[in-house]
Amino acid sequence: MTLSRLVFRSMRKNVKHYYLYFFALIFSVTLCFSFTTLHHNPTVVEALKESGTASAGFQSATYVLYFIVTFFVLYANHLFMKRRSKEMGLYQLIGMTKGLIVRLIALENIILFILAVAVGMVIGFFSSRLFAMILIKLLKLDLVIDLVFSSEAFIQSVIIFSILLLVILFQMTWMVYRVTLLSLFHASKKADERIKRFNFFQMAFGLIGLFLIVYGYYQSSVLFDMEKSHFKDLFLHMIVILASTIFGTFLFFRYSVSFIMNIFRASKKGHLKIRDVMAVTPIMHRMKGNAKSLTLITVLTGLAVGIMSLSYISYFSSATRAHQYSPYDYILLNDKGISFLDRLHQEGIEFEKDTYRVAEVKFDFQDLIGDFANQNLTFASESSMYVVPLSDFKQVSPDAQLNDGEAIVTSYQNMFSEIMPLEKGGDLSVRFNNEEEKVIIKEIQEEFMLSGTVTMASPLLVVTDTTFENISVNQSPESFFNYQVGVNLVDNEDSPKAEEIYNELQEERKLVVNGQEYLPLSYEEEHHSYLSIYGTTIFITAFLGLAFLLTTGSILYFKQMSEAEMEKESYTILRKIGFSTSDLMKGIYAKQAFNFGVPLVIGLLHSYFAVKSGWFLFGTEMFTPLVVTMVLYVIMYAVFAVISTQYYKRIIKASL
């Protein structure tokens, strides 16, 4: 029999093994090729031209995707080779050399790879248009996506998967040459080291694992709390949290699970049901071998959910951020671009107008934040703040009231408000020209009024009209911003025409001071800018999150398939002594709930505390984006758990 005939006969006989590996290859090629094709799609490139970091983001995400795919394919190949170990042992037994076996397996892999790359590229090519439509939808652009074949994406994918094929062939060759004939016959049935007796050492490490996870959660909750944090170096604090959580997760799976299972088994006093035997015993006895993989899956789940949540928080908060930077539909600085109002009248566009007199003062930021300062943060000895009179502030807050010597701090609703929350009742000394005046902070409010182009979204001070007049009269000559007009349209349908007029007057609206230009953007322009940045970011992170999800879910599924094959003889014995399929499936349900549920739950807890510690750096709303992301992950994991359970059911039914 020729080698080629042996290859095709072997492939035909091993279809039940190959389909798992073939799926892994197709899935990997589809992900990579669809993403690289999307990256080189002319419509997408044109849509992202305004975002200078989009191309770099896509390129970086491509490398991350290659890493994920390589890890996934190598794991699937390892599992595939392990399931065929007895076959390779038989080949050696009938006289085939290891070199000939390597050639046989290599030819099979090359054929599979070529087929998988071809099928994956076809699926990836067509799916790239779907992903491009999702991206354009996130950016809220009205564009038609063309399905374009990219030669660059094709060449890049061929090179990457050719390298991956060489790595797989090396992995396969190494596995064949390093094992003995006897071990090949038992590789697929090789069990983990059994836990003969649970000792004090294991119990102690189990408790330490739980303590480290809780400690990491606590430290993450006080990461930016200047009163409760004992770490003076922020970076060191983050390293401690990361190390504590990851090492605690490993100890949890390695020792804590067995510790908990032993307590459960001891509570039964020897009266274990078949459900307990089917669930508890396999989990305990395989936990040593599974600890590393479950830790990796848990950490990857937490990382993926955390990154996706933070990206979604940024995207979800884009409208709020745009409003904070441009609180009106259109803003005019000083007397620049006042003809814009005349043009609106000429076009019959109705609008509402708020005007603000503005002055600038100097103050010591340390006086504003008081006891919240620590060694992690440094502040300039003197900072600037813009001041508006109470009468103008009543345009947005009609009920505001101030007595002489009182003030209101507003526009302080951003990341600084979370890190350094202000308290009313404190004293603040403000300086203007050669004068100084002390005011009492009566209230802390959230209203935004002035353009962030000038204020850089810093807090504003509202004072009485008398105090404001004193400040404005003694205004420093360096102050250049003293008046603002905010315009809101009555009818949003007039927005396109108003935007056109606003852009036509761009040069007229520009404020130039000491060679520096200040040009406020409209709310729509600000919103579009944020959508362009955060829309691309959430798409890339969601795509990588999908890759992480499918990878971790598939690895768990493959592991369960392998364990089901290994336990088939045990199912046969249990069926012969009278247990039904439904009896055995009760234990399988509990086992799958652990194998899929525990890594998911712990991963979600990791992501929750990670996101909670610094979500305000990315946006203004945490709850909704985090819940949506978690729910999607739970649904996808549930799908993998159901598929895995059905596979167990088929194995149990076929065992007798």
Side-chain angles (χ1 to χ4, degrees), residues 247-453:
F247 188 57
T249 302
F250 172 74
L251 292 181
F252 172 81
F253 285 113
R254 179 64 182 87
Y255 298 107
S256 302
V257 170
S258 298
F259 174 55
I260 295 171
M261 293 298 179
N262 268 278
I263 293 176
F264 172 78
R265 191 167 61 175
S267 67
K268 295 292 184 176
K269 298 180 180 179
H271 302 288
L272 294 175
K273 299 179 181 179
I274 185 62
R275 179 188 61 192
D276 303 327
V277 174
M278 293 289 293
V280 176
T281 304
I283 291 172
M284 289 178 59
H285 290 172
R286 290 198 175 94
M287 194 47 60
K288 180 179 180 179
N290 291 340
K292 293 180 181 178
S293 60
L294 289 177
T295 300
L296 179 63
I297 289 171
T298 301
V299 172
L300 289 178
T301 299
L303 178 65
V305 174
I307 294 176
M308 288 176 63
S309 298
L310 293 175
S311 300
Y312 191 21
I313 286 172
S314 298
Y315 182 79
F316 192 82
S317 306
S318 59
T320 304
R321 282 186 176 272
H323 174 75
Q324 291 176 352
Y325 215 77
S326 181
Y328 289 88
D329 292 342
Y330 307 97
I331 290 177
L332 305 173
L333 303 178
N334 291 356
D335 57 348
K336 302 297 181 179
I338 296 299
S339 60
F340 174 70
L341 304 179
D342 298 330
R343 293 285 300 276
L344 292 181
H345 282 300
Q346 293 173 9
E347 296 293 337
I349 299 176
E350 297 183 7
F351 61 90
E352 297 175 347
K353 180 182 69 172
D354 289 340
T355 59
Y356 297 96
R357 292 166 290 165
V358 184
E360 185 179 6
V361 296
K362 303 294 184 180
F363 74 105
D364 190 342
F365 208 88
Q366 184 75 42
D367 294 339
L368 188 63
I369 62 175
D371 297 334
F372 287 99
N374 70 356
Q375 297 180 14
N376 281 334
L377 301 170
T378 57
F379 305 98
S381 58
E382 190 173 66
S383 303
S384 298
M385 179 186 290
Y386 287 98
V387 181
V388 297
L390 177 63
S391 57
D392 292 355
F393 180 65
K394 286 189 175 183
Q395 294 173 111
V396 293
S397 183
D399 297 330
Q401 297 292 335
L402 287 175
N403 297 320
D404 291 338
E406 294 181 336
I408 297 173
V409 174
T410 188
S411 303
Y412 195 71
Q413 186 63 27
N414 47 33
M415 63 179 181
F416 288 112
S417 65
E418 295 289 337
I419 299 174
M420 298 171 293
L422 304 183
E423 294 183 2
K424 58 184 180 181
D427 294 337
L428 179 65
S429 295
V430 296
R431 295 176 290 279
F432 41 94
N433 205 359
N434 295 320
E435 301 286 332
E436 181 174 344
E437 186 162 338
K438 182 175 291 186
V439 293
I440 299 175
I441 305 301
K442 179 183 178 183
E443 294 181 37
I444 312 294
Q445 297 193 13
E446 301 177 4
E447 284 79 3
F448 284 79
M449 301 164 293
L450 303 186
S451 170
T453 303

Side-chain angles (χ1 to χ4, degrees), residues 101-381:
I101 295 174
V102 168
R103 290 171 57 194
L104 171 67
I105 303 299
L107 284 174
E108 293 180 11
N109 272 277
I110 292 172
I111 294 172
L112 275 178
F113 224 87
I114 293 174
L115 291 174
V117 169
V119 174
M121 283 189 173
V122 171
I123 299 175
F125 174 66
F126 288 104
S127 63
S128 66
R129 187 171 187 269
L130 172 62
F131 289 121
M133 293 171 63
I134 294 174
L135 174 58
I136 297 302
K137 186 70 174 177
L138 288 171
L139 299 178
K140 296 187 178 180
L141 299 176
D142 188 12
L143 296 174
V144 177
I145 302 297
D146 297 323
L147 192 60
V148 180
F149 181 80
S150 172
S151 57
E152 294 181 24
F154 176 77
I155 294 172
Q156 186 177 349
S157 298
V158 169
I159 292 174
I160 290 298
F161 282 99
S162 297
I163 296 173
L164 182 57
L165 174 60
L166 294 177
V167 175
I168 289 175
L169 293 178
F170 175 79
Q171 180 192 33
M172 174 267 300
T173 303
W174 181 74
M175 290 180 66
V176 172
Y177 274 99
R178 71 181 292 270
V179 295
T180 63
L181 178 62
L182 183 61
S183 64
L184 284 172
F185 280 103
H186 297 284
S188 62
K189 295 182 179 180
K190 188 177 179 180
D192 295 321
E193 182 180 336
R194 303 289 174 171
I195 301 176
K196 298 179 180 180
R197 185 176 180 181
F198 199 75
N199 55 40
F200 176 79
F201 171 81
Q202 294 167 322
M203 180 180 68
F205 271 89
L207 293 174
I208 291 173
L210 293 173
F211 170 78
L212 286 176
I213 293 177
V214 174
Y215 177 76
Y217 289 167
Y218 170 75
Q219 288 299 328
S220 68
S221 66
V222 298
L223 180 61
F224 292 103
D225 193 321
M226 300 181 186
E227 291 184 324
K228 297 181 180 179
S229 176
H230 299 293
F231 290 87
K232 301 303 180 183
D233 190 305
L234 185 62
F235 180 75
L236 176 62
H237 197 177
M238 296 172 67
I239 293 296
V240 169
I241 293 171
L242 188 64
S244 174
T245 305
I246 294 177
F247 188 57
T249 302
F250 172 74
L251 292 181
F252 172 81
F253 285 113
R254 179 64 182 87
Y255 298 107
S256 302
V257 170
S258 298
F259 174 55
I260 295 171
M261 293 298 179
N262 268 278
I263 293 176
F264 172 78
R265 191 167 61 175
S267 67
K268 295 292 184 176
K269 298 180 180 179
H271 302 288
L272 294 175
K273 299 179 181 179
I274 185 62
R275 179 188 61 192
D276 303 327
V277 174
M278 293 289 293
V280 176
T281 304
I283 291 172
M284 289 178 59
H285 290 172
R286 290 198 175 94
M287 194 47 60
K288 180 179 180 179
N290 291 340
K292 293 180 181 178
S293 60
L294 289 177
T295 300
L296 179 63
I297 289 171
T298 301
V299 172
L300 289 178
T301 299
L303 178 65
V305 174
I307 294 176
M308 288 176 63
S309 298
L310 293 175
S311 300
Y312 191 21
I313 286 172
S314 298
Y315 182 79
F316 192 82
S317 306
S318 59
T320 304
R321 282 186 176 272
H323 174 75
Q324 291 176 352
Y325 215 77
S326 181
Y328 289 88
D329 292 342
Y330 307 97
I331 290 177
L332 305 173
L333 303 178
N334 291 356
D335 57 348
K336 302 297 181 179
I338 296 299
S339 60
F340 174 70
L341 304 179
D342 298 330
R343 293 285 300 276
L344 292 181
H345 282 300
Q346 293 173 9
E347 296 293 337
I349 299 176
E350 297 183 7
F351 61 90
E352 297 175 347
K353 180 182 69 172
D354 289 340
T355 59
Y356 297 96
R357 292 166 290 165
V358 184
E360 185 179 6
V361 296
K362 303 294 184 180
F363 74 105
D364 190 342
F365 208 88
Q366 184 75 42
D367 294 339
L368 188 63
I369 62 175
D371 297 334
F372 287 99
N374 70 356
Q375 297 180 14
N376 281 334
L377 301 170
T378 57
F379 305 98
S381 58

